[in-house]
Amino acid sequence: MRFHLSHRTEYVYETDVSVSHHLLRLTPFNHGRQRCLEHQLFFDPQPKSVHSHLDYYGNESVFVTLEGVHRRWRITADSVVECWPANHPAPADTPPCEQIAGLLAASALADDRAAVEFLHASPLIACRKEYAEYAQVSCAPGRPVLEAASELTRRVFTDFQFDPKATHVATPVDQVFRERRGVCQDFAQLQIACLRSAGIPALYVSGYLETQPPPGQPKLVGADASHAWVAFYCPGHGWIELDPTNNVLPSDRHVSVARGRDFGDVSPVRGVIVGGGNHILNVSVDVLRCDHHAV
Amino acid sequence: MAIESQPAPAAAGLFQTYHPLPGVYDEAQDENGQPRSHWAHFTRSTGRFHWEEWQGRREALRRLRRDFGSADQPGEKRRYYFGPDLDLVPLLISPEEWQRLEGGLRQRAHLFDLVMRDCLGPRRLLAEGALPPALLYANPAFLRPCASLGNQPGPGLSFMACDLVRDTSGRWWVLNDYTRSPHGAGPALQNRLALSRVLPGEFRDAQVRRLAEFFQSQRDMLRGLAPNRQEYPNVVLLTPGPFNAAWPEHVFLARYLGFTLVEGADLTVRDRRVFIKTLEGLQRVEVIFRFLEDSLCDPLELRADSVLGVPGLLEAIRGDQVTVANLPGSAMMEASAWYPFLPSLCRRLLGTDPELPSLETWWCGQPEGMAHTLERLDTHVVRPAFPGLPHRVIWPQNLTADRRKKLVRSIQENPYQYCCQAILKTATAPSLAEGRLEPREYVLRVFMTAARGDWTVMPGGIVQLLDQEEDTGVPIPSGVTKDTWIVSTASVPPVTLLSPAGQIVRLERNPSQVPSRSADNLFWLGRYAERLEDMIRVYRCVLARLADQTGNEMGQELAALARLLVHLDLLPARFQQPASLQSLENEILQRVYQSHTQGTAREVLARLRQLAFFLRDRFSGDTWRILAKLGEEPSTLAKGAQAAQALAYLNQLIVHLAAFSGMEMENMTRGHGWRFLDIGRRLERAINAVTLAQAGLSAEDAYSSPLEAMLEIADSSMTYRRRYFAQPQWLPVLDLLLADETNPRALAFQLAALKEHLQQLPREGHQALPEVRQIELLVELLAGAGLEGMVEARQNAGGSELAEFLPRLAAGLRDISNTLTHRYFSHANTQVN
């Protein structure tokens, strides 16, 4: 499946801004089931300097400085991405949950060793007994980890209610766990907390999901939104993605943009501005299927 | 014939009655009660001191330290973090022992630098299995955005400190490492400056090694870090600001090393380069000597909830446009969890064993460490394994059974967060107590700086004496420090350190590198100083008359004065009507003494002190002492205060304020900093003159005139009387207050001074500044006003020209203030989103 992605961010400031610095993570990355074919950033007005580097997790991070008085700034990230269906192992072929950490500790493989990092708590995701207990219902000893993780995904999907009003970008996992409601970011972070507390390495993936309009209706521009889901590490099979918001194993309609320990590592647009007063932030995302012949 | 005299003090004086604890290593005495050889000079020499002599020198020491500004300043409630007291007896270390320590410390610094650069760069140690992964991944100070900075060409660690303890058998151990921005080097130097003056003979005879070379190396090292290898790079010392406990040290070090002291808000990143915002515009910064927490360095990539840092700083480091010492992320090495792994790392990276051991430590992040810890809770302390964890050092043997169970559970649930160490009984050093010396436990902090590819150890350090917490026996810092004398066998070249700047040949820096933030604070300091003075004159004027009044009703004159104050916004509107003397007195007393109401004298004073506090690095010790005097509590507080006492208090404030102005006129160099202070003062005085004239016009009625009081408030009565020998009249009074260019209180005088200042301010190109034009317009307005005609018109026909003219002056002055603020202080608030 090939997609044309457009992620538009617009700042409107109440008063003049003299300087602003932004860090953008808007470039889809390449992995097993995804290739980024084209990627371009457009700015209005034009920034003074743009520098790009790969961050600790391999995400492209673009540092942008805008100088000169401005009241408005628009960033458009356009990408073309090819996605393939994910190849999932048969659940029975995956190792039992309780052996994961031990297998990784004993392994000499670079990927296995690198996955150890995601066993640990991160700034926004603590490991707690409560999460371990919640996970334990699914992650019983002896149970293959993919089977357990998929069930955990289903439970998060059913036990927690999707409610955009319940949380905001900085709601702690704790509160989500208590109040049992939130949005994709909250469910992803919560499931990561459960997996890590149960000894299974898990990371946070940000990206987009192609949304299908109701049958018979045209797809609306701007209806797609940023999305977030989870990947856990399975020795011998690598990272396997899970989407607790939709209770699916992400496949060729999930486009990944960045990964890290939690939302803090992947936030798509982060900025520091001098001046500006209050500001309005408009974000819109389009995920459009490309006509193969037209590209 | 023998003459009976006072019994001579015994040869060893206080040392003769000094008895260390049995079986415990003591610095000054060996196990046979004999002075150790490197103490011999000191013991003999101070042995001649009577107790009174000790006391006298101790007093001299306190005085000196106050002068250096190292002890707490009077009126400052906050405790300085190294403790205000300095022990008169230093810690002496022999050359042989120091040589061993020095070797071990240099090796340790070298090792830490290698490990840190690897962890923040290629991470080979991790890939090769030389480190347990959790040592990084569970370490909250391992900041991912900093984890590529070790690949930059600059150094990782440049400055490091260790806390050392000696056990009862005399062996040294490392207790703590400081790899982020070590503190204490400044206080160590201040201790030295003071003690070497109070014990000059002992200092000379012991042939003590000097500290100055260390700072010289450090300064040279920092200058050598400029990414563009510039010969005279701009090096700044980055501090979190005056609210940080270590701020006095930052001020001291910046001055001593000759670097500009900056806060994050003074710096800005443009096109990956770092600049300091000065009045002249942006000036490039090549090296940052950092005293700011890692996670606060860059709100764009690190903690977003703080604006103490510099947005874009990490990008500037990645672009190799600035060197930050130590590298952000360096706090990751301040973890006791490293200790069990240091010997193997040392062998792997340096090919030898560590010369200086760390205190024996077990990390619960490993199964054997966990088992060891849980078995030994009775005899060990439990420490946080990493910096930035919420818990502190725990003494399990002092916990109730319940809490102990909780601790065990917490260790089992979060094993990575805990370490344990055996409780160490430490050696003692003699310390001066009342009339005797007593053995005290202590910790010695030592400092290392990178220098030309190697490490240099400061020949000295700062000792903190330990107390024991009363009910638990847990050792805690006592607030008393000691100087550390490294004795040498060769004679030490007689360099003098009497003046802190003496050793260091400073570069002539651009004297006007005034950060915009400081200029802003200076401007407001000038305004508040003038406002306070003006306010005091007004209240004094009322209080003086109150003291003379008899009866209970206001006379005509006092009533007019009260109305004047109402129009000056210094009394509530009800005093438009005559009120009782008592109520007037009460109101005035409140307005003098109450510190929590806006607009009272004490409140303005508090603001003034606050600004002075922000600017403390710009004032001399003398000026600071005057400011401290200004802040002293009045001897009588509002409740029982009488008019006469309040008058005395105000008089005292006026004198201190005058002293402050005098210091600032005579002692501040005429850079832009001083100019902004004086601009603030002139502008405030100009505004006050106009306001006073306006209020006077409104306060006048058929029975009484406020003119006499106006002259007094404007401090111009004498001039008036000398010139006119008559009752005050409107025209000459207004002339004196507004138009007379020779009266230093008049508006015209302020305008002339302001114009001169503004013409000197930095500008781009040769265009005249708009604020200069604004001043000229005001000068023209005043000159062309025709005061005589306006006053005549008012008196004869009630003409309103005068009443309309004054507000135009006031508005013009306000505009100038706004223009200045926009042009020079426009460091609008920074937001993170």
Side-chain angles (χ1 to χ4, degrees):
Chain A
M1 204 83 79
R2 187 172 288 194
F3 296 104
H4 180 257
L5 312 169
S6 187
H7 185 139
R8 290 175 300 275
T9 310
E10 186 184 39
Y11 286 95
V12 181
Y13 303 107
E14 188 184 59
T15 60
D16 287 350
V17 173
S18 50
V19 183
S20 71
H21 302 286
H22 282 84
L23 197 66
L24 313 175
R25 284 192 185 85
L26 295 166
T27 318
F29 62 94
N30 296 331
H31 60 100
R33 56 167 192 81
Q34 176 179 306
R35 279 279 164 281
C36 178
L37 305 175
E38 286 174 36
H39 175 73
Q40 224 174 339
L41 287 168
F42 301 95
F43 304 101
D44 177 27
Q46 277 298 320
K48 169 99 184 195
S49 68
V50 180
H51 293 280
S52 158
H53 74 281
L54 288 186
D55 74 9
Y56 180 84
Y57 300 100
N59 306 308
E60 183 176 41
S61 307
V62 181
F63 177 86
V64 189
T65 301
L66 187 59
E67 283 180 39
V69 171
H70 58 283
R71 287 278 185 107
R72 190 185 65 83
W73 195 38
R74 187 182 289 165
I75 307 155
T76 308
D78 279 348
S79 321
V80 177
V81 175
E82 180 85 50
C83 293
W84 299 277
N87 274 327
H88 294 125
D93 292 346
T94 59
C97 303
E98 77 281 6
Q99 289 182 14
I100 306 283
L103 285 170
L104 295 180
S107 172
L109 293 173
D111 283 358
D112 287 0
R113 297 186 68 91
V116 171
E117 173 158 26
F118 299 93
L119 276 169
H120 291 275
S122 58
L124 301 179
I125 303 181
C127 293
R128 284 184 207 284
K129 217 168 57 196
E130 296 90 315
Y131 306 147
E133 283 163 4
Y134 183 84
Q136 220 49 54
V137 176
S138 304
C139 306
R143 197 169 186 195
V145 64
L146 179 52
E147 189 185 309
S150 301
E151 191 194 280
L152 185 64
T153 309
R154 184 183 55 73
R155 285 175 52 226
V156 174
F157 175 74
T158 45
D159 291 354
F160 290 75
Q161 201 177 344
F162 188 86
D163 180 355
K165 291 203 182 75
T167 57
H168 53 88
V169 72
T171 303
V173 178
D174 234 22
Q175 185 189 330
V176 176
F177 188 68
R178 247 186 355 256
E179 297 174 2
R180 306 255 152 168
R181 46 184 66 225
V183 296
C184 56
Q185 176 189 328
D186 304 311
F187 302 153
Q189 296 202 128
L190 173 93
Q191 191 174 5
I192 292 168
C194 294
L195 287 165
R196 288 181 190 164
S197 301
I200 302 167
L203 57 73
Y204 184 98
V205 186
S206 74
Y208 314 107
L209 175 61
E210 186 206 26
T211 50
Q212 292 287 41
Q217 288 183 28
K219 193 175 151 105
L220 298 173
V221 172
D224 303 289
S226 289
H227 190 44
W229 58 95
V230 176
F232 77 94
Y233 191 81
C234 178
H237 301 280
W239 292 99
I240 299 178
E241 295 164 272
L242 308 162
D243 180 351
T245 311
N246 297 296
N247 187 26
V248 295
L249 298 183
S251 194
D252 56 356
R253 287 173 53 214
H254 283 72
V255 182
S256 336
V257 172
R259 69 280 205 210
R261 291 166 300 167
D262 52 39
F263 175 74
D265 288 335
V266 303
S267 56
V269 178
R270 195 163 155 175
V272 176
I273 56 176
V274 178
N278 291 327
H279 69 267
I280 302 168
L281 179 63
N282 298 313
V283 179
S284 71
V285 174
D286 283 316
V287 181
L288 295 171
R289 263 184 221 211
C290 294
D291 182 341
H292 282 250
H293 306 288
V295 173
Chain B
M1 191 175 92
I3 295 169
E4 283 287 322
S5 66
Q6 290 247 311
L14 291 187
F15 275 97
Q16 202 172 51
T17 53
Y18 175 58
H19 300 298
L21 307 171
V24 174
Y25 185 96
D26 184 77
E27 293 295 342
Q29 256 181 39
D30 64 18
E31 54 279 16
N32 304 319
Q34 295 305 308
R36 295 185 190 276
S37 60
H38 60 285
W39 281 80
H41 269 302
F42 189 84
T43 333
R44 204 176 321 121
S45 165
T46 56
R48 292 190 299 267
F49 292 1
H50 296 279
W51 170 235
E52 287 72 26
E53 175 100 36
W54 282 106
Q55 279 178 310
R57 295 200 189 216
R58 189 166 64 179
E59 200 33 57
L61 187 62
R62 283 186 187 144
R63 246 190 340 264
L64 257 181
R65 282 168 56 77
R66 263 202 303 278
D67 288 350
F68 285 142
S70 31
D72 266 7
Q73 297 290 352
E76 226 173 282
K77 299 212 172 58
R78 183 175 69 163
R79 257 173 72 101
Y80 187 35
Y81 67 129
F82 264 101
D85 287 333
L86 173 58
D87 194 345
L88 201 51
V89 181
L91 172 69
L92 271 58
I93 298 182
S94 73
E96 303 78 30
E97 176 147 49
W98 184 251
Q99 206 181 2
R100 281 195 302 275
L101 273 179
E102 213 175 9
L105 289 166
R106 283 170 51 204
Q107 183 199 44
R108 191 175 182 91
H110 191 188
L111 177 66
F112 270 55
D113 180 44
L114 290 177
V115 173
M116 188 187 104
R117 259 192 295 172
D118 179 67
C119 291
L120 294 181
R123 280 181 286 288
R124 276 191 212 100
L125 291 170
L126 194 64
E128 292 164 7
L131 290 179
L135 207 46
L136 291 190
Y137 299 145
N139 185 343
F142 176 56
L143 302 177
R144 308 309 195 273
C146 300
S148 66
L149 302 182
N151 293 322
Q152 296 301 321
L157 278 185
S158 311
F159 184 29
M160 178 176 168
C162 293
D163 281 342
L164 304 178
V165 286
R166 206 202 267 275
D167 66 20
T168 50
S169 71
R171 190 166 178 213
W172 291 100
W173 302 86
V174 179
L175 183 65
N176 294 303
D177 296 282
Y178 301 91
T179 53
R180 195 236 314 158
S181 38
H183 283 115
L189 180 58
Q190 286 171 315
N191 280 356
R192 172 62 57 85
L193 292 171
L195 195 67
S196 59
R197 279 208 209 169
V198 174
L199 296 173
E202 290 70 23
F203 182 74
R204 192 182 52 239
D205 293 346
Q207 299 186 329
V208 179
R209 287 185 53 191
R210 310 298 206 258
L211 304 182
E213 311 131 57
F214 174 82
F215 289 95
Q216 191 133 22
S217 310
Q218 183 165 56
R219 189 205 50 185
D220 293 347
M221 176 273 292
L222 287 163
R223 288 214 180 119
L225 293 181
N228 47 6
R229 303 264 159 265
Q230 203 187 317
E231 199 178 351
Y232 296 112
N234 197 0
V235 184
V236 297
L237 192 150
L238 177 61
T239 168
F243 291 109
N244 188 279
W247 197 69
E249 177 171 1
H250 305 154
V251 174
F252 177 79
L253 279 181
R255 271 191 195 161
Y256 188 78
L257 295 168
F259 301 149
T260 307
L261 183 71
V262 298
E263 294 175 31
D266 297 328
L267 300 180
T268 180
V269 173
R270 302 289 162 93
D271 200 18
R272 304 174 114 188
R273 292 182 174 83
V274 180
F275 294 90
I276 174 168
K277 295 183 246 179
T278 73
L279 293 171
E280 277 89 359
L282 301 181
Q283 290 178 8
R284 178 83 190 270
V285 169
E286 278 92 5
V287 182
I288 298 177
F289 192 20
R290 170 178 74 103
F291 284 83
L292 189 63
E293 256 180 61
D294 290 356
S295 60
L296 302 182
C297 283
D298 183 349
L300 187 60
E301 298 194 45
L302 300 165
R303 252 175 66 184
D305 56 346
S306 160
V307 287
L308 292 176
V310 187
L313 184 61
L314 296 192
E315 181 65 26
I317 302 174
R318 280 195 297 267
D320 197 22
Q321 298 294 336
V322 69
T323 305
V324 180
N326 293 331
L327 207 59
S330 56
M332 64 168 295
M333 296 304 297
E334 297 186 356
S336 42
W338 285 104
Y339 290 179
F341 307 98
L342 290 178
S344 68
L345 286 170
C346 189
R347 283 190 290 272
R348 186 184 184 98
L349 295 170
L350 300 177
T352 73
D353 284 311
E355 293 167 36
L356 187 61
S358 325
L359 201 59
E360 225 177 336
T361 303
W362 288 267
W363 180 40
C364 299
Q366 295 205 305
E368 58 277 19
M370 164 89 91
H372 185 102
T373 303
L374 294 181
E375 282 161 23
R376 289 171 177 77
L377 289 180
D378 282 326
T379 51
H380 285 51
V381 292
V382 174
R383 286 182 63 167
F386 298 110
L389 291 174
H391 55 94
R392 324 190 98 204
V393 179
I394 302 165
W395 294 64
Q397 60 273 38
N398 295 335
L399 297 179
T400 60
D402 208 35
R403 287 184 159 253
R404 203 158 142 161
K405 242 186 250 158
K406 263 196 196 139
L407 174 65
V408 170
R409 215 168 36 236
S410 179
I411 293 175
Q412 285 164 336
E413 278 173 24
N414 313 291
Y416 301 120
Q417 298 192 356
Y418 294 92
C419 278
C420 91
Q421 292 172 334
I423 295 170
L424 189 74
K425 198 83 188 99
T426 66
T428 57
S431 162
L432 188 64
E434 288 314 302
R436 66 200 171 84
L437 292 172
E438 57 178 25
R440 295 279 296 268
E441 293 193 293
Y442 69 92
V443 173
L444 168 62
R445 185 169 298 180
V446 289
F447 305 88
M448 291 84 87
T449 189
R452 291 179 295 279
D454 197 357
W455 286 84
T456 299
V457 182
M458 180 200 283
I462 185 163
V463 167
Q464 300 190 69
L465 293 180
L466 300 177
D467 271 340
Q468 295 200 330
E469 213 171 55
E470 231 163 67
D471 30 347
T472 59
V474 172
I476 47 168
S478 67
V480 181
T481 63
K482 269 179 185 293
D483 190 14
T484 304
W485 290 5
I486 312 302
V487 174
S488 80
T489 39
S491 74
V492 176
V495 281
T496 165
L497 266 177
L498 288 185
S499 134
Q503 290 310 299
I504 296 226
V505 184
R506 291 195 196 191
L507 261 187
E508 256 323 304
R509 279 176 308 126
N510 183 351
S512 61
Q513 187 160 309
V514 181
S516 313
R517 178 183 47 85
S518 301
D520 189 359
N521 286 335
L522 284 162
F523 174 75
W524 283 104
L525 182 71
R527 289 199 63 168
Y528 281 126
E530 182 63 27
R531 187 171 303 177
L532 181 62
E533 195 185 318
D534 187 64
M535 197 178 249
I536 291 173
R537 280 186 209 288
V538 174
Y539 291 143
R540 205 168 59 163
C541 185
V542 182
L543 286 169
R545 283 167 176 75
L546 272 173
D548 289 347
Q549 287 280 326
T550 48
N552 194 28
E553 290 303 311
M554 286 188 189
Q556 291 288 346
E557 197 198 353
L558 204 50
L561 186 55
R563 283 200 305 279
L564 182 68
L565 264 69
V566 171
H567 289 287
L568 286 170
D569 233 1
L570 294 173
L571 276 182
R574 63 189 154 91
F575 287 97
Q576 280 279 25
Q577 310 305 324
S580 75
L581 285 178
Q582 195 55 50
S583 70
L584 181 63
E585 179 171 339
N586 289 347
E587 184 67 30
I588 295 283
L589 289 178
Q590 291 227 340
R591 291 197 168 234
V592 171
Y593 286 111
Q594 278 218 346
S595 50
H596 300 295
T597 316
Q598 198 179 346
T600 64
R602 299 253 333 268
E603 190 254 351
V604 175
L605 178 59
R607 289 204 225 181
L608 180 87
R609 295 251 308 152
Q610 177 79 1
L611 283 167
F613 175 69
F614 288 139
L615 289 162
R616 187 165 154 190
D617 55 313
R618 302 204 151 259
F619 292 123
S620 69
D622 288 334
T623 310
W624 188 249
R625 264 188 292 283
I626 293 170
L627 286 164
K629 280 266 176 223
L630 259 176
E632 277 175 12
E633 296 282 312
S635 49
T636 41
L637 280 172
K639 229 166 217 163
Q642 299 294 315
Q645 288 160 317
L647 204 53
Y649 175 55
L650 293 182
N651 282 334
Q652 178 197 324
L653 281 184
I654 285 266
V655 170
H656 292 320
L657 269 175
F660 172 63
S661 322
M663 284 311 263
E664 144 215 322
M665 280 303 286
E666 296 305 322
N667 291 4
M668 268 181 92
T669 48
R670 294 304 194 256
H672 293 315
W674 173 79
R675 225 171 261 293
F676 271 94
L677 181 68
D678 206 50
I679 287 173
R681 188 183 280 285
R682 299 287 158 207
L683 199 57
E684 182 77 21
R685 192 175 286 183
I687 292 170
N688 290 343
V690 176
T691 317
L692 183 62
Q694 280 180 292
L697 282 183
S698 313
E700 194 184 32
D701 70 5
Y703 310 104
S704 62
S705 153
L707 288 171
E708 185 79 54
M710 285 165 68
L711 285 174
E712 196 176 324
I713 290 166
D715 207 15
S716 303
S717 310
M718 299 279 280
T719 317
Y720 190 91
R721 245 173 259 142
R722 205 168 47 241
R723 280 196 194 161
Y724 299 103
F725 295 107
Q727 281 295 309
Q729 300 291 319
W730 271 106
L731 182 59
V733 168
L734 284 182
D735 182 65
L736 198 56
L737 282 186
L738 301 177
D740 186 349
E741 280 186 36
T742 64
N743 177 11
R745 297 270 155 192
L747 173 64
F749 188 94
Q750 316 314 320
L751 291 178
L754 279 170
K755 185 175 168 187
E756 200 196 315
H757 282 323
L758 295 179
Q759 281 169 335
Q760 299 296 323
L761 286 184
R763 74 192 73 186
E764 284 164 32
H766 294 289
Q767 279 190 322
L769 294 171
E771 51 269 29
V772 174
R773 185 68 203 128
Q774 283 173 317
I775 287 278
E776 284 167 351
L777 283 174
L778 278 183
V779 172
E780 287 163 23
L781 183 65
L782 187 57
L787 278 180
E788 202 166 346
M790 290 197 283
V791 170
E792 215 166 285
R794 178 175 177 272
Q795 276 163 352
N796 297 340
S800 60
E801 290 89 344
L802 193 56
E804 285 158 14
F805 165 70
L806 293 175
R808 284 170 66 199
L809 286 178
L813 291 168
R814 269 199 308 277
D815 286 348
I816 292 171
S817 179
N818 288 339
T819 313
L820 284 174
T821 307
H822 272 285
R823 176 182 304 277
Y824 295 103
F825 319 138
S826 59
H827 42 268
N829 56 330
T830 302
Q831 308 183 10
V832 182
N833 58 49

